[in-house]
Amino acid sequence: MKYWEFNIHAYKGIKSLLSVDLSKKSLIPIIGVNECGKTTILEAMLCFDRHNDDNYNGRHINHIQNLYSNKQQDIIISAVIDYKPKELIQKLRSFLDTEMNYEEEDLDEDEQHNKILLKEYVNAKLEEIKSQTSIEIFRNLNNQEYSFTKNGSSSEQEDSVCSEIVRL
């Protein structure tokens, strides 16, 4: 799997949508005068993966408000991820097997129900991704959830699946 593009919306000093195209197979320099946003771009990309949230004492994830707008808006980082369908399907099935490996008596009714919902969601998503080679995942930094749609609110299952794909 490979990240092809990051899209940054309303993060710190970034007023409008900023796209960082990583599809070229060459070095991408980030050049500019002091205080022009070079570090902001890198921090935004770091924010995409929630497994980085504790790095640098969480500075990049705790101070996210747009500095040039008083308007409350969603701060969204997305990534377009290229993948080989067979590889992603195998990894998501492995994730599902791990999640479904439990003893019923160890979980209460709600937890069991959530496991069943996760299984149904993953199986439906597997059918969808068979015919694709890339996927865009969005992370709303206001609520720190992942989603497959920019403006959609995500379910616990969708957030889990997106998080697993990002980890791969």
Side-chain angles (χ1 to χ4, degrees):
M1 295 190 13
K2 180 180 179 187
Y3 288 94
W4 282 100
E5 179 180 18
F6 281 94
N7 296 297
I8 305 163
H9 178 73
Y11 179 78
K12 292 187 177 183
I14 299 172
K15 294 184 209 178
S16 58
L17 180 65
L18 172 76
S19 291
V20 179
D21 182 1
L22 303 173
S23 63
K24 297 175 180 65
K25 296 183 188 226
S26 63
L27 186 64
I28 302 170
I30 300 176
I31 302 168
V33 298
N34 290 345
E35 299 296 320
C36 71
K38 301 179 298 290
T39 302
T40 298
I41 292 168
L42 295 173
E43 286 179 346
M45 291 167 62
L46 187 66
C47 282
F48 178 71
D49 186 345
R50 75 165 44 123
H51 300 92
N52 294 324
D53 288 356
D54 293 332
N55 293 348
Y56 308 106
N57 296 321
R59 184 182 74 136
H60 60 290
I61 197 76
N62 294 326
H63 305 289
I64 61 173
Q65 293 307 313
N66 191 296
L67 304 174
Y68 298 101
S69 175
N70 292 332
K71 184 172 75 171
Q72 184 66 20
Q73 55 187 332
D74 284 337
I75 300 165
I76 298 176
I77 313 295
S78 72
V80 176
I81 304 170
D82 185 53
Y83 61 87
K84 294 178 179 153
K86 284 183 181 179
E87 199 175 290
L88 181 57
I89 288 168
Q90 178 185 10
K91 290 181 179 185
L92 285 177
R93 283 189 176 140
S94 175
F95 162 71
L96 185 58
D97 289 345
T98 302
E99 287 294 314
M100 299 309 290
N101 187 17
Y102 63 91
E103 300 293 328
E104 285 191 25
E105 56 271 359
D106 293 341
L107 302 177
D108 65 29
E109 231 175 273
D110 286 341
E111 291 170 323
Q112 288 180 25
H113 179 70
N114 285 339
K115 295 283 186 182
I116 292 167
L117 290 176
L118 178 64
K119 182 177 182 180
E120 291 171 355
Y121 185 84
V122 169
N123 286 329
K125 201 66 184 170
L126 287 172
E127 286 301 313
E128 184 181 317
I129 63 173
K130 281 181 183 178
S131 61
Q132 301 173 344
T133 58
S134 67
I135 194 164
E136 186 167 15
I137 296 177
F138 299 83
R139 186 172 188 210
N140 183 323
L141 298 184
N142 299 73
N143 60 20
Q144 298 188 4
E145 291 179 353
Y146 288 110
S147 175
F148 289 110
T149 58
K150 181 177 181 178
N151 298 325
S153 106
S154 89
S155 66
E156 182 180 326
Q157 294 77 29
E158 182 177 14
D159 182 68
S160 293
V161 170
C162 288
S163 180
E164 188 64 23
I165 293 171
V166 169
R167 283 188 55 214
L168 303 174

